Amino acid sequence: MLVIFGCLLGTGVGLAESSNETAGSEIREVIIAQIVAFASDDAEAAWQYASEDIQQQFSSPDAFMGMVGSRYPAVYRAGSIEFLSLVPHPGFMIQTLRIKGPDGRFWDSAYTLTDTDEGWRIGGVVVKEAESGI
């Protein structure tokens, strides 16, 4: 009986890891697509990756784009991005990134994403300047 429970437990962990890997891949695609949309000044495309809550906060894709451009220039005009860790939470995921902004400085960011009927959507991002190291 203990052996069967151990096998089932091991299978569950494998399924959870596989599910997180799939989610991680989809999440990376969504973040990249939105960053490409920002870089292309494609407000409609950037808007489609925002969660319903974010869309309700802004009157239009252009208003959303304006906010991102003024408050998050590193996201709006990212020079490069490096995906760091994916942190699962009940009901949402957090994806951390390091972004090189247009000014050459590096920024650490944490994206909150929720899974919807239309796929993963970005519910917010927190950005802070990365600590410089050796």
Side-chain angles (χ1 to χ4, degrees), residues 1-15:
M1 186 71 125
L2 207 50
V3 172
I4 293 172
F5 178 72
C7 289
L8 290 174
L9 182 61
T11 301
V13 169
L15 290 175

Side-chain angles (χ1 to χ4, degrees), residues 2-102:
L2 207 50
V3 172
I4 293 172
F5 178 72
C7 289
L8 290 174
L9 182 61
T11 301
V13 169
L15 290 175
E17 287 175 3
S18 176
S19 176
N20 283 345
E21 287 175 22
T22 300
S25 176
E26 293 169 356
I27 284 169
R28 287 187 295 276
E29 288 176 17
V30 165
I31 292 171
I32 289 168
Q34 190 178 60
I35 288 175
V36 167
F38 290 141
S40 303
D41 290 319
D42 188 343
E44 290 291 332
W47 178 257
Q48 78 177 352
Y49 298 107
S51 70
E52 186 176 327
D53 289 343
I54 294 294
Q55 290 179 359
Q56 288 177 357
Q57 291 178 31
F58 299 93
S59 58
S60 69
D62 290 330
F64 170 66
M65 196 78 149
M67 179 278 298
V68 174
S70 66
R71 292 188 191 167
Y72 302 97
V75 172
Y76 189 66
R77 292 291 188 249
S80 65
I81 59 174
E82 175 187 359
F83 287 90
L84 301 175
S85 59
L86 180 65
V87 184
H89 291 273
F92 66 98
M93 295 276 213
I94 301 230
Q95 174 67 62
T96 61
L97 287 83
R98 173 139 313 150
I99 300 172
K100 183 177 183 182

